[in-house]
């Protein structure tokens, strides 16, 4: 399954979900005036990011950046979901073959770098679910629009994994310690909360989304002010009520600023005993059920992300991902996927089983740079380097297999 590209009028730019479902391409690309529309088209799989999807998104974004006739790019999901992130079953199915998903991981991270450093305005119409890598796809765009039916979460630690796709960079730059909170708990933010948290730029009621897209595709230039003014016409102000977890930021900042996961849990336990803090118990339960090693990797990665550049974060996350897939110190990722989506028993057998059994020397192995530089993620460090170089085809991994 690949990608299809075709000119289209504005009238047909928004195909119904059932039409998208009949088109079996992973990504549908449409050329409409000065805009380009990319639709993630795996609705039966919650638009999870496949290897082919990552490859084709990279190819299309490169083509559009170089094309003088293209002013902006819109990305959306077919059906009721934006994207549920990486294709977990693909990872699980390859668990017994070393590096079976290496090319998949490399292409995703390579694309994430170019998405976050894109030279033209890009717009996410993130209606419905956006989880994990889906958040990593939505949040970096110059404009990201959510609706009342949108919800976002980063539940990787619950699977024995870590926030990937640039999320250690994104989460570490949210207000206060909100990034640590979202990364360790996997809690869902809904609709306007996503904007208030800083993961999206606009809230637009879902019934206006069709008209918004048509209006965007009617403009004749890609100036950011022009695009912003169009979206502003359809967006509504965001106000968070007192029941939202975002109204508890002072407690979140206090608890999640602690040095270790254990200290964070102790702090939450203390706060939970106070009147009016009933919301904390579900948070505690969520953390306690997560993979101990996933929690510790997640906290360290986000903390390091606070002082790292985007390139440094992506290279680090790529190392963590490859070492995790190789089960360097634990098979928790595969166990987490098994319990969540394969057997669906919701009873993972974590190894190590408790936080105190996860040692810094183990984590150091996961984070350690590869011994050979050409095995690192090859992305530009500065503007002088080749902007679109470093593709998987030219990486040390691919060249060594030829």
């Amino acid at each position: 399954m690949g990608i299809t590209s075709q000119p289209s009028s504005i009238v047909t730019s928004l195909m119904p979900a059932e039409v998208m479902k009949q088109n079996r391409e992973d990504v549908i690309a449409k050329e409409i005036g000065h805009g380009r529309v990319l639709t993630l088209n795996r609705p039966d799989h919650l638009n999870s990011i496949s290897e082919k999807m990552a490859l084709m998104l990279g190819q299309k974004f490169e083509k559009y950046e170089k094309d003088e006739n293209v002013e902006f790019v819109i990305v959306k999901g077919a059906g009721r979901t934006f994207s549920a992130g990486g294709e977990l079953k693909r990872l699980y199915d390859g668990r017994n073959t070393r590096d079976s998903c290496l090319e998949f991981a490399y292409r995703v991270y390579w694309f994430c770098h170019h998405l976050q450093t894109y030279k033209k305005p890009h717009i996410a119409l993130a209606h419905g679910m956006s989880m994990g890598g889906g958040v990593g796809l939505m949040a970096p765009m110059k404009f990201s629009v959510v609706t009342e039916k949108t919800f976002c979460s980063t539940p990787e630690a619950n699977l024995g994994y870590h926030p990937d796709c640039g999320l250690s960079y994104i989460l570490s730059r949210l207000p206060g310690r909100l990034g640590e909170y979202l990364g360790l708990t996997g809690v869902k933010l809904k609709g306007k909360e996503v904007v208030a948290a800083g993961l999206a730029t606009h809230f637009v009621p879902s019934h206006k989304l069709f008209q918004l897209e048509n209006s965007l595709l009617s403009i004749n230039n890609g100036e950011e002010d022009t695009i912003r003014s169009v979206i502003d016409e359809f967006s509504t102000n965001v106000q968070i009520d007192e029941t939202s977890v975002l109204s508890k930021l002072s407690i979140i900042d206090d608890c999640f600023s602690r040095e270790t996961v254990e200290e964070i849990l102790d702090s939450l336990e203390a706060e939970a005993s106070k009147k009016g803090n009933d919301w904390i118990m579900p948070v505690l339960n969520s953390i306690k059920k997560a993979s101990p090693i996933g929690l510790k990797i997640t906290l360290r990665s986000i903390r390091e992300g606070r002082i790292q550049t985007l390139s440094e974060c992506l290279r680090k996350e790529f190392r963590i991902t490859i070492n995790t897939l190789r089960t360097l110190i634990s098979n928790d990722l595969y166990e987490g996927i098994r319990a969540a989506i394969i057997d669906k028993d919701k009873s993972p057998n974590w190894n190590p089983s408790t936080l105190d059994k996860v040692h810094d020397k183990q984590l150091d192995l996961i984070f350690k740079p590869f011994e050979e530089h050409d095995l690192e993620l090859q992305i530009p460090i500065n503007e002088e380097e080749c902007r679109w170089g470093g593709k998987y085809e030219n990486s040390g991994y691919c060249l060594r297999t030829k």
Side-chain angles (χ1 to χ4, degrees), residues 167-188:
L167 282 171
S168 70
Y169 183 83
I170 295 168
L171 293 176
S172 64
R173 282 156 178 77
L174 297 183
R177 299 293 173 166
L178 184 58
E180 283 95 332
Y181 169 76
L182 295 175
L184 293 175
T185 66
V187 71
K188 294 178 182 178

Side-chain angles (χ1 to χ4, degrees), residues 92-109:
Y92 187 80
D93 289 345
R95 66 193 183 282
N96 294 322
T97 304
R98 180 178 170 86
D99 291 344
S100 63
C101 295
L102 193 151
E103 180 178 348
F104 177 25
Y106 191 101
R107 291 193 186 282
V108 168
Y109 281 107

Side-chain angles (χ1 to χ4, degrees), residues 216-231:
L216 287 169
L217 294 169
S218 297
I219 62 179
N220 295 318
N221 66 74
E223 294 181 5
E224 290 182 11
D225 288 344
T226 301
I227 294 172
R228 183 179 293 106
S229 66
V230 170
I231 300 176

